[in-house]
Amino acid sequence: KISQMDTQWRDKKLYPALGIFTIFFLLYLSFNDNFNFTFPQIFLRQPYMGFVGVNETRFFIKNENPKTQSLTFQELYINGWNSYWLMEESVWVSSRFRVSKMLKRGAEMGLSVCRTWAFSDGGGPNDLQLLPGVFNERVFKGLDFVIVEARKHNIRLILSLVNNLKAYGGTAQYMRWAREAGTNVSSSRDAFFTNPTVKAYYKSFVKAIVTRKNSISGVKYSEEPAIFAWELINEPRCESSSSAAALQAWIAEMAGFVKSLDQKHLVTIGLEGFYGVEKAGNVGLNPGKWAASLGVDFIENSAIENIDFTSVHAYPHSWIKGGVNSDARVDFLSHWVDSHINEAEKILKKPVLFTEVGFPSSIQKNGLYDRNIFLKIVYDKIYESAKKKRAGAGALVWQLLVEGMERYGDQFSFIAWKHPSTYKLMVEQSCRLLNISCLANAS
């Protein structure tokens, strides 16, 4: 039997002490950015975020007031970045602090959207999809963490669903799986867009992602406002322009499929912005004749009904090779940005987001960094478009790293705060676009 003294000690000292300890422990979890323990979702308090929508050529945030049942619409212009490695680095708890640091530093720079991979296809220990429809839950929980951490820092994510390149499995892995299952698949990589088995594998993956319930927050991905948009495929290209119709049909089918699962989020393709052979008037704007033979067309692909906004990439240094001076690349980039904004405004009547803009950090003779010269061209044109309420909605730098993530880098990657002049340029763009948004929302 429990004595009266034991009961009094338990009620007056033990229980209150445990209660105080619990309160301080929860506060520690809430405010310590370096603590990566996944606490039960019942204790997780997430900040409010509105979903992003489109109104003709502009993005807006839909904010709901639960008390008054009223809606307000806030115009949104985007300064953002790419860090494709977030999910991979979130697989292990020991490396999650770098993901948290990247999202926190991005938010401190005024950046609002990050584009990252939501795919990793193969059979390795850190692959998300091990076989068609078979997933590595540990990696999925890494993606859960990325989404929760992004929302914590008021960052929205563009989640890309498959790679057209070989890195992280890509379309080639889907076709390999189909062949291993006994399916007769063409040797052309364009079979990804036409083979029924391969398309079924892709749809199965998309459904698993879009309908996933976050293991940390308990929120379904389809209900998660920290997701800005679904990107169907990173940089689609065909082996031949003869596959253009197949790609067009694939985009329409898959965009419709995503919308059938999720009506709250935007859908984009993942285009680089090249013009097709039938658009004779625009082919001259391509970085070379090779671009018109890839079976893609910026205008035709982007005009598909369930594509909410279009995307463009810009890599003048890798697209235009040979004995070309910097002035020629500057001229190309200037026309490249102008033409896509104009067509998005006048023909497509949709926002255009420059989702990858990548420039090297080499120094010109006048002492200016190449990256700053080219990035300023893009930023200024986006800013001028935003001031006029036109279709140029924003740009995402390729790509940002944090210390310790250099292995994910390429010639266009950098740690922003180690490049003070570029860092300043990026922060100034964030401030300029935020000021436009604030003025628009106040009027």
Side-chain angles (χ1 to χ4, degrees):
K1 296 181 179 179
I2 301 175
S3 67
Q4 184 177 5
M5 184 177 296
D6 289 337
T7 303
Q8 290 176 345
W9 179 86
R10 180 189 63 193
D11 293 343
K12 293 183 178 180
K13 294 184 178 180
L14 178 61
Y15 287 170
L18 288 174
I20 292 171
F21 173 80
T22 300
I23 291 172
F24 277 101
F25 183 62
L26 291 176
L27 288 172
Y28 176 76
L29 292 180
S30 299
F31 293 101
N32 188 351
D33 286 339
N34 294 321
F35 196 90
N36 288 309
F37 176 74
T38 301
F39 208 68
Q41 63 192 44
I42 191 172
F43 295 111
L44 183 67
R45 294 183 62 186
Q46 296 192 98
Y48 172 80
M49 294 182 83
F51 282 88
V52 177
V54 293
N55 180 13
E56 293 186 346
T57 61
R58 295 193 293 278
F59 291 118
F60 66 88
I61 302 172
K62 182 173 70 173
N63 293 309
E64 301 181 30
N65 188 325
K67 293 182 179 180
T68 62
Q69 300 295 313
S70 61
L71 290 175
T72 58
F73 298 92
Q74 175 186 349
E75 281 195 8
L76 176 65
Y77 298 99
I78 295 162
N79 197 25
W81 85 100
N82 287 264
S83 288
Y84 72 86
W85 45 270
L86 298 183
M87 180 178 70
E88 186 172 2
E89 282 302 307
S90 296
V91 172
W92 306 106
V93 172
S94 59
S95 59
R96 287 183 176 180
F97 75 95
R98 296 189 180 96
V99 175
S100 301
K101 182 177 181 180
M102 184 70 263
L103 293 167
K104 182 180 180 181
R105 293 303 297 264
E108 290 171 350
M109 295 169 67
L111 308 178
S112 58
V113 173
C114 176
R115 179 171 171 264
T116 193
W117 296 169
F119 60 79
S120 180
D121 305 304
N126 292 331
D127 284 325
L128 174 59
Q129 188 173 204
L130 304 175
L131 292 167
V134 179
F135 300 95
N136 187 334
E137 181 62 19
R138 179 168 51 83
V139 180
F140 239 144
K141 287 181 178 178
L143 185 57
D144 292 343
F145 175 81
V146 172
I147 293 170
V148 169
E149 198 69 6
R151 184 164 174 176
K152 174 182 175 182
H153 294 290
N154 200 36
I155 299 293
R156 290 179 169 83
L157 302 169
I158 296 177
L159 296 179
S160 190
L161 296 172
V162 72
N163 202 358
N164 191 54
L165 308 174
K166 291 182 179 180
Y168 294 86
T171 57
Q173 180 61 66
Y174 277 83
M175 291 187 288
R176 192 176 303 120
W177 279 329
R179 292 189 188 102
E180 290 170 354
T183 303
N184 184 17
V185 181
S186 167
S187 60
S188 170
R189 70 180 188 183
D190 295 352
F192 178 83
F193 303 116
T194 58
N195 185 275
T197 299
V198 174
K199 290 198 294 181
Y201 287 167
Y202 176 80
K203 284 184 175 180
S204 174
F205 173 77
V206 169
K207 184 175 181 180
I209 291 280
V210 173
T211 61
R212 164 115 178 142
K213 184 177 181 180
N214 194 305
S215 64
I216 302 172
S217 67
V219 178
K220 285 186 176 182
Y221 284 15
S222 59
E223 301 287 333
E224 175 55 70
I227 296 174
F228 181 92
W230 302 110
E231 181 182 271
L232 298 179
I233 180 171
N234 174 51
E235 298 188 341
R237 294 184 179 187
C238 300
E239 287 189 349
S240 167
S241 59
S242 63
S243 296
L247 175 59
Q248 180 79 354
W250 183 90
I251 295 169
E253 180 180 352
M254 298 310 170
F257 180 71
V258 174
K259 288 289 187 180
S260 73
L261 300 171
D262 179 1
Q263 292 80 44
K264 290 192 174 183
H265 288 107
L266 304 178
V267 175
T268 193
I269 302 169
L271 297 174
E272 295 165 274
F274 302 132
Y275 298 101
V277 291
E278 294 182 2
K279 303 296 184 293
N282 295 328
V283 166
L285 295 170
N286 279 336
K289 293 182 179 179
W290 53 269
S293 65
L294 300 175
V296 295
D297 184 80
F298 171 73
I299 295 175
E300 191 171 277
N301 299 155
S302 303
I304 291 172
E305 181 181 4
N306 285 313
I307 298 303
D308 296 297
F309 68 95
T310 192
S311 65
V312 181
H313 295 180
Y315 289 101
H317 292 77
S318 58
W319 286 350
I320 305 174
K321 298 182 179 182
V324 177
N325 60 32
S326 182
D327 289 342
R329 291 192 174 99
V330 166
D331 186 61
F332 160 76
L333 181 64
S334 181
H335 286 92
W336 185 251
V337 176
D338 283 342
S339 66
H340 287 86
I341 291 177
N342 289 336
E343 286 149 2
E345 176 74 26
K346 298 175 182 178
I347 301 174
L348 298 170
K349 302 188 186 306
K350 297 179 181 181
V352 57
L353 198 57
F354 291 80
T355 50
E356 287 188 28
V357 291
F359 315 111
S361 58
S362 55
I363 301 176
Q364 295 293 309
K365 292 180 181 179
N366 58 9
L368 294 174
Y369 281 95
D370 252 18
R371 178 180 290 121
N372 292 5
I373 294 171
F374 286 84
L375 188 56
K376 190 174 188 304
I377 291 171
V378 177
Y379 277 174
D380 284 350
K381 290 183 180 296
I382 293 294
Y383 176 62
E384 291 301 319
S385 177
K387 282 200 304 183
K388 299 173 183 176
K389 297 184 180 296
R390 300 184 71 226
L396 281 64
V397 169
W398 182 276
Q399 69 152 334
L400 295 189
L401 305 171
V402 294
E403 293 83 354
M405 294 293 95
E406 289 82 359
R407 65 183 177 277
Y408 293 105
D410 55 25
Q411 63 175 317
F412 306 118
S413 305
F414 62 107
I415 299 172
W417 40 97
K418 290 189 175 182
H419 297 260
S421 60
T422 307
Y423 185 93
K424 180 181 177 183
L425 184 64
M426 294 176 71
V427 172
E428 287 176 347
Q429 178 74 352
S430 297
C431 293
R432 292 199 298 180
L433 295 182
L434 180 61
N435 186 53
I436 291 175
S437 294
C438 290
L439 291 174
N441 297 323
S443 61

